[in-house]
Amino acid sequence: MQSVIPVNLPRHAYDITIAPGSVDQLGVWMQGTTKRPLKLGSRVLVISNPAVFEHYGRRVIASLEQAGFTVATCLLPDGEHYKTLETLTKIYDAALANRLERSSTFVALGGGVIGDMTGFAAATWLRGVNVVQVPTSLLAMVDAAIGGKTGVNHPNGKNLIGAFHQPRLVLIDPHVLQTLPVREFRAAIAEVIKYGVIWDADLFTQLEAAPQLDQLSHLSAELLQAMLTHSCRAKAHVVSKDEKEAGLRAILNYGHTIGHAVESLTGYQVVNHGEAVAIGMVAAAEIAVALQLWRPADAQRQLTLLQNAQLPTHLPSGINLDAILSSLQSDKKVEAGQVRFVLPTQIGAAIVTDQVPTTIIRQVLQQMQTV
Amino acid sequence: MQSVIPVNLPRHAYDITIAPGSVDQLGVWMQGTTKRPLKLGSRVLVISNPAVFEHYGRRVIASLEQAGFTVATCLLPDGEHYKTLETLTKIYDAALANRLERSSTFVALGGGVIGDMTGFAAATWLRGVNVVQVPTSLLAMVDAAIGGKTGVNHPNGKNLIGAFHQPRLVLIDPHVLQTLPVREFRAAIAEVIKYGVIWDADLFTQLEAAPQLDQLSHLSAELLQAMLTHSCRAKAHVVSKDEKEAGLRAILNYGHTIGHAVESLTGYQVVNHGEAVAIGMVAAAEIAVALQLWRPADAQRQLTLLQNAQLPTHLPSGINLDAILSSLQSDKKVEAGQVRFVLPTQIGAAIVTDQVPTTIIRQVLQQMQTV
């Protein structure tokens, strides 16, 4: 059971491969085929964090060395607050110490933070070296590892410093999810449901057929493979039609407008990103219903899925409505003072609009307050 | 008297405009024409250093504001040793404080260091904003500002961290060279002579017609304009045929192989970059003659030009030949252990080769030692 999803970018085409057990085959996958060798050089720098590396580091390195690569390793501290220019210098130092060349390759072995930082380091080392993404969290698999967005945080804002840099290969091994904490798994399911709502009605109905979505052990191997394949394909389609985020790619921000505000106002402590997106999806759905863009029954189907994944569907208690409304104004995605929302119009389709009256936003948020 | 040189990159076409007095017209140039508006947004961040800003800052800002731009300023300390990730954070901080958006523009007002850092900041702020280069040194005008190479230094190596990011406009005002120190002017003449040797025989003979090349006041306005135009055109041609430095662009490194070694071995203190390139050009010329690739008479013509500009044509005293040879091996441009040289074959043409016997390099360097 193996899926290969081609990402057809004009000058940066690459494959996303989803294959159980593939961490032990990374070296072979990185060679490419005789017909289409990947030409990833001879030197590889594997970038990871201690927790992930303990589980998979040895296996990945063994596989790379067996395929003839010379491998060096760089371990970074774990966590979003280390996603900084300062941590980045550790990658640069390791690249220099191990004489990585323009033809060499950085391998990101980890979740979104490792992927974003490794990608940005690869974008900027010697003005650009190859990067291979080996995401180990569900969120990174279905989102961060695909699309070429890379970067680090500025002390006053997330992802403000970065570059577009497409990977040469994304290799996804569903088996590694077995070591993923349940809460992180669940949070990523929010993004999977998102793809169902905005892009892929088939994925949505497959998710509906599952009795529970709240932890890996409740999913069949088939559903997991299908979820990964559909999600990656959705993101790949959107990204390849809009590499530099000029238009269509904006629909991927479904749930993120309110979601970001909730995350930021609770200091990134109360809800994680996926949970915030779940809350944002409920809000966007209700706004779409209020504007008569979406059928109430479909919004209800989305709510049921989120609940089946045990994701939050109300605002965290104590959060101030005015604070949310004012936070929306300072978001990166605001152009000329208008807040942009992604709103579903049916299961599998969404639009982007900056024409949502504040009164409606406020009314929806009021209904979503925790009693 | 005004020249416009189009740089025809597939997805990043832009113009280099050379116009005396144009610093006072920056705002107008940045608007573009009715037929081809440049769309550089409404907010501009001017990045400069205190010395340059004192001369031209007020005029540039006045011109921008008159054209309707909202202008903020960020001054960076002057000098190559400030070209670091740390200094870069000052640009990011200013961009955040002044709410620069994806549609906004960074303006680099200064020499190569300001241009490289501003370009890299623009490449990475919000994953890429516009940059306009207003070079104020002759070296930046004919070299650094054109071609989209941007970056900062790693503590252990120059320009190791960077990105390709093309400017939206390069605006060159020859008048600003009046405040350029003589030694810097002279150093840049080395690069101008370089373009004559590797690409533009016409430029070479124009330079030969000038009695002296050692300071601005010895040049007619016509020769200066021609020098700038021919040099920019040479670089633009090479760059547009090879945006990401896959092949042809390597000829721009004429004089740089030995040059870099000399610069680095004297701790960047004894000779500046242009002077080192002059020494490197003499070495490459002698190697080309020894390999019977180039006529001795043409090498002599190059030597005369360099001497007319009062540029050094011998190795600095006390430099060790073995140290140079071993330094060549550790250069960024080495692939698989072979040192690459750019060698002229006639006035206006050069080849790239990694087939130079070490005995010949040593012999040429011996002849170039200061007695």
Side-chain angles (χ1 to χ4, degrees):
Chain A
M1 194 163 53
Q2 172 176 309
S3 324
V4 176
I5 300 157
V7 183
N8 294 315
L9 295 172
R11 303 191 308 173
H12 311 279
Y14 64 95
D15 286 341
I16 305 165
T17 296
I18 304 166
S22 56
V23 284
D24 293 310
Q25 256 82 55
L26 177 61
V28 175
W29 283 103
M30 278 180 54
Q31 289 173 323
T33 58
T34 325
K35 210 172 142 193
R36 237 180 80 194
L38 278 181
K39 296 186 184 156
L40 294 174
S42 59
R43 282 173 201 274
V44 171
L45 180 64
V46 175
I47 293 133
S48 192
N49 66 47
V52 168
F53 194 77
E54 198 189 313
H55 285 300
Y56 307 108
R58 226 157 17 140
R59 289 162 58 185
V60 158
I61 289 174
S63 160
L64 287 169
E65 288 182 339
Q66 213 178 339
F69 293 102
T70 305
V71 187
T73 303
C74 172
L75 295 189
L76 305 179
D78 195 11
E80 179 81 24
H81 56 290
Y82 289 109
K83 204 173 114 177
T84 62
L85 279 179
E86 207 188 326
T87 308
L88 205 63
T89 61
K90 288 184 202 291
I91 306 181
Y92 295 139
D93 291 347
L96 187 71
N98 294 288
R99 295 172 157 270
L100 274 272
E101 298 167 346
R102 288 185 188 181
S103 56
S104 303
T105 300
F106 289 4
V107 169
L109 176 67
V113 171
I114 290 293
D116 283 3
M117 279 201 290
T118 303
F120 187 55
T124 53
W125 182 248
L126 306 179
R127 298 196 193 90
V129 300
N130 304 306
V131 65
V132 167
Q133 295 281 354
V134 185
T136 59
S137 75
L138 181 55
L139 187 58
M141 290 176 183
V142 300
D143 184 16
I146 308 160
K149 278 195 188 182
T150 71
V152 296
N153 299 330
H154 182 277
N156 297 320
K158 285 178 75 172
N159 294 321
L160 293 179
I161 301 161
F164 286 96
H165 190 63
Q166 301 298 336
R168 299 292 311 283
L169 168 71
V170 178
L171 189 66
I172 294 174
D173 182 349
H175 284 177
V176 307
L177 294 176
Q178 280 155 15
T179 52
L180 188 71
V182 169
R183 188 174 171 192
E184 279 191 48
F185 176 83
R186 224 171 263 171
I189 293 290
E191 302 274 357
V192 174
I193 297 171
K194 180 191 82 176
Y195 292 123
V197 175
I198 61 167
W199 193 258
D200 186 339
D202 185 19
L203 169 61
F204 194 93
T205 51
Q206 287 193 55
L207 293 172
E208 282 183 315
Q212 276 177 288
L213 295 165
D214 61 328
Q215 50 183 293
L216 183 67
S217 57
H218 292 149
L219 269 54
S220 68
E222 289 71 26
L223 178 58
L224 180 60
Q225 182 80 14
M227 250 174 54
L228 290 168
T229 307
H230 280 259
S231 298
C232 290
R233 197 182 291 145
K235 176 127 191 201
H237 276 174
V238 172
V239 162
S240 55
K241 287 184 181 172
D242 181 19
E243 186 177 356
K244 295 286 176 73
E245 209 168 21
L248 178 65
R249 199 157 165 159
I251 68 163
L252 297 174
N253 287 323
Y254 178 52
H256 287 60
T257 311
I258 299 289
H260 275 165
V262 169
E263 255 185 305
S264 130
L265 287 172
T266 52
Y268 300 93
Q269 302 292 329
V270 179
V271 292
N272 63 30
H273 180 70
E275 290 163 352
V277 167
I279 294 166
M281 285 164 64
V282 174
E286 292 304 319
I287 289 169
V289 167
L291 294 173
Q292 298 189 300
L293 290 168
W294 208 25
R295 298 194 317 152
D298 286 342
Q300 180 57 48
R301 285 170 69 191
Q302 172 188 284
L303 189 67
T304 305
L305 275 190
L306 294 169
Q307 285 166 342
N308 266 354
Q310 294 203 29
L311 284 160
T313 55
H314 286 84
L315 294 174
S317 60
I319 202 166
N320 183 292
L321 293 196
D322 290 318
I324 298 182
L325 290 168
S326 114
S327 169
L328 294 179
Q329 289 293 338
S330 65
D331 193 274
K332 217 173 25 176
K333 287 178 281 300
V334 173
E335 296 268 341
Q338 289 299 314
V339 184
R340 273 204 301 183
F341 276 92
V342 181
L343 301 178
T345 53
Q346 58 183 61
I347 302 282
I351 56 155
V352 181
T353 175
D354 59 3
Q355 299 295 315
V356 180
T358 308
T359 50
I360 294 207
I361 306 175
R362 179 184 290 276
Q363 182 188 315
V364 162
L365 291 175
Q366 260 163 356
Q367 289 163 1
M368 287 179 67
Q369 281 183 306
T370 309
V371 196
Chain B
M1 194 163 53
Q2 171 176 310
S3 323
V4 176
I5 300 157
V7 184
N8 294 315
L9 296 172
R11 303 191 308 171
H12 311 280
Y14 64 94
D15 286 341
I16 305 165
T17 297
I18 304 167
S22 56
V23 284
D24 292 311
Q25 257 81 55
L26 176 61
V28 175
W29 283 103
M30 278 179 55
Q31 288 173 323
T33 58
T34 325
K35 209 172 142 193
R36 237 179 81 195
L38 278 182
K39 295 186 186 159
L40 293 174
S42 58
R43 283 172 199 273
V44 170
L45 180 64
V46 175
I47 293 133
S48 191
N49 67 45
V52 169
F53 194 77
E54 197 188 313
H55 285 301
Y56 307 107
R58 226 158 16 140
R59 290 163 57 185
V60 157
I61 289 174
S63 159
L64 287 169
E65 288 182 340
Q66 213 178 340
F69 294 102
T70 305
V71 187
T73 304
C74 172
L75 295 187
L76 304 179
D78 195 12
E80 179 81 25
H81 56 291
Y82 288 110
K83 204 174 114 178
T84 61
L85 279 179
E86 207 187 327
T87 309
L88 206 61
T89 61
K90 287 185 203 292
I91 306 182
Y92 294 139
D93 291 347
L96 188 70
N98 295 287
R99 295 173 157 269
L100 275 273
E101 297 166 350
R102 289 185 187 178
S103 57
S104 304
T105 300
F106 290 3
V107 169
L109 176 68
V113 171
I114 289 293
D116 283 4
M117 279 202 288
T118 303
F120 187 54
T124 54
W125 182 249
L126 306 180
R127 299 197 191 90
V129 300
N130 304 305
V131 65
V132 167
Q133 296 281 352
V134 185
T136 59
S137 75
L138 181 55
L139 187 58
M141 289 177 182
V142 300
D143 184 16
I146 307 162
K149 278 196 187 182
T150 71
V152 297
N153 299 330
H154 183 276
N156 297 319
K158 284 177 75 169
N159 294 322
L160 293 179
I161 301 161
F164 287 96
H165 190 62
Q166 302 298 337
R168 299 291 312 283
L169 168 72
V170 179
L171 188 67
I172 294 175
D173 182 349
H175 284 177
V176 307
L177 294 175
Q178 280 155 13
T179 52
L180 189 71
V182 168
R183 188 174 172 192
E184 279 190 49
F185 175 83
R186 223 172 263 170
I189 293 290
E191 301 274 357
V192 174
I193 297 172
K194 181 191 83 175
Y195 292 123
V197 175
I198 61 168
W199 194 259
D200 187 341
D202 185 19
L203 169 61
F204 194 94
T205 50
Q206 287 194 55
L207 293 172
E208 281 182 317
Q212 275 177 291
L213 294 166
D214 61 329
Q215 49 183 294
L216 183 67
S217 57
H218 292 150
L219 269 55
S220 68
E222 289 71 25
L223 178 59
L224 180 61
Q225 182 80 14
M227 251 173 55
L228 289 169
T229 307
H230 279 258
S231 297
C232 290
R233 198 183 289 145
K235 176 127 190 201
H237 277 175
V238 172
V239 163
S240 55
K241 286 184 181 172
D242 181 20
E243 186 178 357
K244 295 286 177 72
E245 208 166 23
L248 177 65
R249 197 157 168 160
I251 69 164
L252 298 174
N253 287 323
Y254 177 52
H256 287 59
T257 310
I258 300 288
H260 274 164
V262 170
E263 255 186 306
S264 130
L265 287 171
T266 52
Y268 301 93
Q269 302 292 329
V270 179
V271 291
N272 62 30
H273 179 69
E275 290 163 354
V277 167
I279 295 166
M281 284 165 66
V282 174
E286 291 304 320
I287 289 169
V289 168
L291 294 173
Q292 299 189 301
L293 290 168
W294 208 23
R295 297 193 319 151
D298 286 342
Q300 180 57 47
R301 286 170 68 192
Q302 173 188 283
L303 189 68
T304 305
L305 274 191
L306 293 170
Q307 284 165 343
N308 266 353
Q310 294 202 29
L311 284 160
T313 55
H314 285 85
L315 294 174
S317 62
I319 202 166
N320 183 291
L321 293 196
D322 291 318
I324 297 183
L325 291 167
S326 114
S327 168
L328 294 179
Q329 289 293 338
S330 64
D331 193 274
K332 215 172 26 172
K333 287 178 281 299
V334 173
E335 296 267 341
Q338 290 298 313
V339 184
R340 273 202 303 181
F341 276 93
V342 181
L343 301 178
T345 53
Q346 59 182 59
I347 301 282
I351 56 154
V352 180
T353 175
D354 58 2
Q355 299 296 315
V356 179
T358 308
T359 50
I360 293 204
I361 306 175
R362 177 184 292 277
Q363 183 188 312
V364 163
L365 291 174
Q366 260 162 357
Q367 289 164 2
M368 287 180 66
Q369 280 182 306
T370 310
V371 196

